[in-house]
Amino acid sequence: MLDNNDHSTPDGGTTRRRFMEATGGIGLSAALGGYLASEPVRAKRTSERVRTLVSEMSLREKIGQMTQVAAYEVGDDPTAFFEEYQPGSLMYATTDDPVGLAEDVNELLDASIEAQPHDVPFVFGIDAVHGNNNLDGATIFPHNHGVGATWNEEYARRTAEHTSETLRATGTHWTFSPVADLQRDPRWGRFYEGFSEDPYLSSRMVAEKVRGYERRESGYKAAGATIKHFAGYSEPRHGDDRTPALIPYRTFRHAHLPPFHAGICAGAETVMVNSGSVNGVPAHASKELLQDILRDELGFEGLVVSDWHDFYRMVAVHGFADDVKEAVRLGINAGIDMYMVPAADIESDTVDTYQTYLRELVESGEIPTDRVDDAVANVLAFKEALGLFEDPYADPGRASEVGGGARDLAYEVAADSVTLLQNDGTLPFDPEVGTVLVTGPSADDVANMMGGWTLGWQRVGETLPPAVTPLDGIETAVGDATNVVHEPTGLHEFDNESAVREAASDADAVVAVLGEGPYAEEHGDTDTLELPAAQRELVRTLDSVGTPFAGVIFAGRPRGTDVFDRLPAAVMAYLPGTMGGTAVADAVFGNVNPAGRLPFTWPAGTGQLLNVHNAYPPELFGTGETPPTSTQEPLFPFGHGLSYTEFEYEDLRVDPATIPAERANRRIVTSVRVTNVGSRSGDHVVPVYAHRRGGAIPSPMTEVIGFDRASLDPGESTRVNVRASIAQLATVPGDVFSKDELRVLPGEYAITAGDWEEERTLTVV
Ligand code: NOJ
C-alpha cells in the first residue's frame, strides 16, 4: 500500500511519477504496483526552471513546443523553418548512417536553439523498437512477441539498455517504444509488436523495457520511452488496424490497462495515444481515457503525444469531428500535449494548419491557456529529465563505436525464445546426419526474419541489417561433418517442386523454414491464419518423400493451421532478428534445448477468435458437452512449449494460504519442485496460473500471476520459488456495465504451476 509521505525531487518538486518509480517496482507486482492502492492524487509540481520557462514563453513558442514534425520536413533552410514553427520535437532519421545522423541532429539542434528565444532544444524521436532498427549496422533484436516467449524480462531490459546507448550516441533522445498493447487478435497486423496476450507477462516486459531505455547516464535519463498506444488499440473488432474496438469496461480495466500502468510505474516519460476508437469514441478525443484514467487513476504525469496525423484521422476516418480545427480543439482539450504532424502531404493537416488552428483556438478561449501551459510544462519536464537543457548533442565519435554491438545478447534472446511446438522425436537432428536440405521461403531471406520496422517500415530496403540466416546458421552448426544443400522456395510460389522432391529424397534430414514475409501496421492485417498455399504444398511434398523433416516458422503471429498435421516436428522462432539463424540452427541440431513458451494462444483458425487463455468461462472444449461446431480448442494453448528433455513437478506450495482482500496485492510465494528426468540439460519456464473458483463475477479461466525460469541438468532437481500476486485477478465487481473500482474479490483461488494439473487453494477473506 502506498503511503502519503512527501517524495520531493531534488529541486523541491514532487511528482507521483518519481514516487512510483521508486516504489512501484517489479518486487511486488509489476502489473499492479500501486494498482490497487488507495494512492492520493497529487497535484503535479514542476521544477522551477520549467515553471519559469512556461511563464516567460510567448504563445508562439508554446505552440511550437506542442508540435512534432518529421526532420525531413525541415528542408534546405533550417533556420527559416525553426524561426517559423519552433517545433518542440523532430522525428525520424535523416539518414541510416549512424555518424551522419549524429552530425545531422547536431546541426539541426544548432539551428533550432538559435531560433528559439529561450534556447530550448528540440527532443528527437524515432521508432527504435527492436534495437536501433533505423540505422545501418545496428544489431536487430527479436520483435517483442519473441521476447515474451523467453519469459525473461531481463532481456527486455538489456536489449533496451543497448538500444538506449546507441540512440543517445546517434543524436536520438526518444524512442516510440515499448508497445504495451495486449496481443489478443492475431489477425491484427501489429500482433508481433506486443509481448503477450497475458496482462501480467506483458506488464513485466513493458516495465523492464522502459527501465532499459530510461537508464540513467550522468544523472539524466539516457533516452525517453513511450508506452503505446493508449489504450485498447490491439483489439479492433474486425481485426483490422485502426478500426473500431468494442471493449467491455471490465476487460479494459482488468486486461488492457495493467501493462500501461506497469510502464508508468517504471517511470515511462511519455505515452502515445491509440489511433483507433474505443466504444465509438476516438481515443484522441477522449477525456475519459486521457484525463480520468491515464492521469487521475493511473497517475501518469509525463508527456502525452498523439499518433501520426490523428487529429486529421478524427475527421477523415472516424467522422467524429467536422474539420481538423474542431479535432485539434477536441484533442488538445482531451489531454494531448504534443501533436505528431509529421508530413506536409495532407493539405488540411500540416504543421502550418495545426499551429494556426491551435493559436486561433487559444485566442478565442476554446482551448484554455491553462491547458496549453500544462502541455508545455509536460514537454519541458520531459526535456529536463533527459538532460537536454544541459547537453542535447551527440558525440559522432561514439556513434561509430556503439552500433552493431550486443550480438551475443541478440543470440541469447533469440535462442531462449525458440519454442518447440511439436516433436515426434525427429528433433534434434544429429549434426553428423550426412546431408541436410534447407528449404522454404525463409531459409535464406533476411527480411523474413526481421519483420517490419527494420531499416524500413514495411520491410528491409536496400540496406540489409547484419543477419545470420538459418542457412548460414546451419552451415556453421554442422561444420564439415554434414553436407548442406539449399533449395529455396517462395512465400507464395512453389514452382520447383521436382527439384525440392529430388533434393529431399537425396537428403538425410530436411529443415523447411516457413512463415510470413515482413509487414507493418495495416499492411499486416489478415483474414486467415493458414500458411499460403505454396507453403502448404511444400510441406505436403516433403511429407510424401519420407525423409525426416522439421518446420521452422518465422512469423509475426501464430501462423499455420492444418500444416501441423503433416509436420513431424515444428519450431516457432518468431521474428528473431540478427542472430536468428544461429538460434534456429542450434535448436534444430540440439546445441540449444528449446525452452520458449508461447506468450499467446495459437488458435486453430480465425473462426474461433478471440481465443485467449484469459477468456471467461465456460471453456468450450474438453467438457464433452460442447457441440462440435463451437469448439474453441486451440492448436497450441497459451504457455505451450516442449523440450528435448522432460520435467516432472511435485510438492506445489502456496504461502500464505489465506490473505485478507484488503491486502490482496501482498506478495505470495508459490513454489514447486521441478526435476529434469530426461537426458539433456535444459531450461524450464514455470508460469504460475490462477483463477477464482466460481463467484458472482466469474474470473477469467487462467491468468498468469508469476513466473520464473530455471536451468536443470539431467537428474537435477530444484525448488522453484515464484513470487506472485493475486492482485492480477482483480476485477470490476457489479452488473454487466458496472464501472466499479477494480477489486480482488473474496473467495477461493485455484493456483497451478507450469504444465501440472494439480491445484492448490489460496483463500481471500
Ligand atoms: C504510427 C504508429 O502507429 C506508431 O506506433 C509510431 O510510433 C508512429 N507512427 C511513428 O512512426
Side-chain angles (χ1 to χ4, degrees):
M1 195 71 75
L2 302 183
D3 64 22
N4 283 306
N5 296 339
D6 189 53
H7 296 271
S8 300
T9 56
D11 61 10
T14 300
T15 73
R16 185 154 58 139
R17 174 150 46 106
R18 278 172 208 248
F19 172 62
M20 289 166 101
E21 273 181 70
T23 60
I26 283 295
L28 175 65
S29 149
L32 296 154
Y35 201 66
L36 299 173
S38 47
E39 285 171 72
V41 176
R42 282 156 214 269
K44 180 172 58 187
R45 278 199 267 142
T46 40
S47 74
E48 182 64 41
R49 172 179 13 218
V50 169
R51 280 200 300 278
T52 307
L53 277 171
V54 173
S55 71
E56 289 177 359
M57 277 183 164
S58 64
L59 179 58
R60 180 189 169 82
E61 287 176 271
K62 290 178 183 171
I63 289 174
Q65 291 304 308
M66 294 170 71
T67 306
Q68 182 179 55
V69 49
Y72 56 73
E73 288 295 329
V74 170
D76 298 338
D77 189 352
T79 305
F81 186 90
F82 288 123
E83 275 173 0
E84 178 78 20
Y85 300 114
Q86 306 195 3
S89 176
L90 292 190
M91 62 186 284
Y92 276 21
T94 48
T95 165
D96 63 20
D97 170 41
V99 177
L101 180 61
E103 290 170 348
D104 284 357
V105 176
N106 284 351
E107 267 180 41
L108 289 166
L109 277 167
D110 279 341
S112 80
I113 293 170
E114 182 70 35
Q116 214 296 325
H118 288 90
D119 297 340
V120 176
F122 60 73
V123 53
F124 188 70
I126 259 178
D127 291 276
V129 301
H130 62 148
N132 202 340
N133 46 254
N134 301 287
L135 297 185
D136 187 11
T139 300
I140 306 298
F141 299 114
H143 267 298
N144 285 343
H145 66 328
V147 182
T150 68
W151 296 65
N152 180 353
E153 74 266 30
E154 272 190 31
Y155 286 145
R157 194 193 67 247
R158 288 169 60 201
T159 54
E161 278 169 356
H162 174 75
T163 308
S164 159
E165 199 186 334
T166 67
L167 282 169
R168 201 57 191 252
T170 52
T172 311
H173 315 118
W174 181 10
T175 174
F176 309 132
S177 172
V179 163
D181 305 310
L182 290 180
Q183 305 161 277
R184 287 168 67 89
D185 190 336
R187 295 171 301 177
W188 185 50
R190 306 193 73 169
F191 190 83
Y192 64 85
E193 294 187 58
F195 291 102
S196 173
E197 78 186 22
D198 185 84
Y200 182 68
L201 178 54
S202 297
S203 297
R204 294 260 297 245
M205 295 286 173
V206 167
E208 287 307 292
K209 202 150 176 175
V210 166
R211 290 196 175 95
Y213 288 136
E214 296 192 349
R215 88 207 146 81
R216 292 198 176 259
E217 204 176 74
S218 322
Y220 295 101
K221 290 187 173 177
T226 298
I227 39 176
K228 66 185 189 183
H229 308 75
F230 192 79
Y233 181 44
S234 56
E235 205 179 314
R237 181 49 59 102
H238 300 294
D240 291 333
D241 192 32
R242 295 178 163 93
T243 55
L246 301 173
I247 307 177
Y249 181 73
R250 186 168 285 135
T251 303
F252 186 78
R253 197 75 174 80
H254 165 82
H256 286 270
L257 288 185
F260 286 95
H261 193 241
I264 293 168
C265 291
E269 290 288 335
T270 77
V271 162
M272 189 186 290
V273 179
N274 166 11
S275 295
S277 66
V278 181
N279 301 342
V281 180
H284 281 74
S286 170
K287 250 190 183 146
E288 186 171 20
L289 280 178
L290 302 184
Q291 182 61 48
D292 303 353
I293 296 180
L294 181 63
R295 300 286 190 191
D296 298 346
E297 290 179 41
L298 302 188
F300 180 65
E301 292 187 343
L303 164 68
V304 175
V305 65
S306 81
D307 201 347
W308 187 277
H309 284 290
D310 273 323
F311 291 161
Y312 167 75
R313 198 183 302 271
M314 227 191 269
V315 181
V317 176
H318 301 299
F320 193 82
D322 291 339
D323 53 41
V324 181
K325 183 171 176 184
E326 171 67 355
V328 172
R329 184 182 73 77
L330 289 168
I332 301 292
N333 281 338
I336 307 282
D337 297 324
M338 179 184 275
Y339 185 39
M340 185 189 286
V341 56
D345 53 355
I346 301 171
E347 221 176 284
S348 58
D349 193 34
T350 63
V351 59
D352 200 70
T353 58
Y354 162 62
Q355 293 202 341
T356 306
Y357 296 148
L358 184 49
R359 168 175 286 281
E360 289 170 2
L361 289 161
V362 176
E363 284 172 349
S364 69
E366 290 167 90
I367 292 180
T369 315
D370 282 1
R371 174 74 270 275
V372 169
D373 286 355
D374 181 47
V376 174
N378 291 337
V379 176
L380 297 175
F382 178 36
K383 295 181 180 186
E384 187 170 56
L386 297 171
L388 301 193
F389 292 115
E390 278 65 33
D391 181 11
Y393 293 98
D395 171 2
R398 270 189 71 213
S400 57
E401 285 163 25
V402 293
R407 298 250 175 118
D408 291 351
L409 176 60
Y411 168 76
E412 275 179 66
V413 186
D416 279 3
S417 74
V418 169
T419 305
L420 184 60
L421 297 175
Q422 59 188 33
N423 188 17
D424 64 357
T426 298
L427 288 181
F429 289 136
D430 180 353
E432 299 186 4
V433 68
T435 295
V436 59
L437 167 67
V438 187
T439 185
S442 301
D444 195 32
D445 186 304
V446 174
N448 292 0
M449 56 197 288
M450 298 291 163
W453 301 106
T454 316
L455 284 162
W457 179 41
Q458 291 299 319
R459 56 168 293 120
V460 177
E462 276 165 28
T463 312
L464 289 180
V468 181
T469 66
L471 180 63
D472 304 331
I474 289 173
E475 274 164 353
T476 307
V478 298
D480 295 335
T482 277
N483 179 29
V484 180
V485 177
H486 179 214
E487 190 61 56
T489 65
L491 283 167
H492 298 280
E493 307 83 40
F494 183 39
D495 46 19
N496 52 345
E497 182 178 355
S498 55
V500 169
R501 185 179 288 283
E502 197 180 317
S505 312
D506 293 347
D508 303 290
V510 181
V511 180
V513 192
L514 311 165
E516 301 183 319
Y519 51 78
E521 302 191 29
E522 69 272 21
H523 299 277
D525 297 339
T526 180
D527 288 336
T528 177
L529 296 179
E530 284 184 341
L531 282 174
Q535 297 186 49
R536 304 209 307 276
E537 192 55 41
L538 167 64
V539 172
R540 267 196 291 275
T541 300
L542 295 175
D543 186 31
S544 69
V545 170
T547 305
F549 77 109
V552 173
I553 295 172
F554 285 161
R557 57 183 138 224
R559 191 75 197 251
T561 52
D562 54 347
V563 78
F564 291 102
D565 296 346
R566 292 176 195 272
L567 285 169
V571 158
M572 177 61 169
Y574 308 90
L575 295 168
T578 292
M579 297 304 290
T582 312
V584 161
D586 283 350
V588 167
F589 285 91
N591 297 329
V592 159
N593 189 350
R597 281 187 188 267
L598 291 176
F600 46 76
T601 302
W602 193 302
T606 50
Q608 57 174 226
L609 296 179
L610 296 185
N611 190 353
V612 288
H613 75 292
N614 50 356
Y616 290 105
E619 192 175 32
L620 290 179
F621 58 92
T623 61
E625 292 161 15
T626 314
T629 45
S630 64
T631 182
Q632 286 290 110
E633 189 152 18
L635 266 183
F636 305 107
F638 175 87
H640 175 73
L642 306 175
S643 167
Y644 297 148
T645 188
E646 257 182 75
F647 298 95
E648 265 180 23
Y649 286 58
E650 55 192 332
D651 194 17
L652 174 63
R653 297 181 196 169
V654 175
D655 182 36
T658 303
I659 49 169
E662 66 277 10
R663 306 281 316 271
N665 59 358
R666 176 179 169 188
R667 181 187 305 166
I668 52 174
V669 177
T670 304
S671 74
V672 68
R673 178 156 291 283
V674 180
T675 307
N676 181 348
V677 294
S679 53
R680 280 175 182 263
S681 301
D683 278 11
H684 188 63
V685 173
V686 182
V688 173
Y689 299 106
H691 70 269
R692 190 159 42 81
R693 293 197 188 111
I697 307 301
S699 111
M701 290 179 298
T702 56
E703 295 272 7
V704 177
I705 61 164
F707 56 87
D708 204 354
R709 184 166 170 136
S711 292
L712 292 170
D713 287 330
E716 196 183 343
S717 182
T718 190
R719 177 159 281 283
V720 180
N721 292 302
V722 180
R723 289 184 313 189
S725 166
I726 203 72
Q728 278 76 252
L729 291 182
T731 189
V732 175
D735 216 323
V736 176
F737 298 112
S738 166
K739 287 185 93 177
D740 212 340
E741 293 276 300
L742 198 64
R743 262 193 295 141
V744 172
L745 301 179
E748 280 195 353
Y749 290 77
I751 313 263
T752 57
D755 312 313
W756 207 28
E757 303 219 326
E758 203 160 301
E759 289 183 353
R760 291 291 174 272
T761 300
L762 173 75
T763 308
V764 176
V765 290

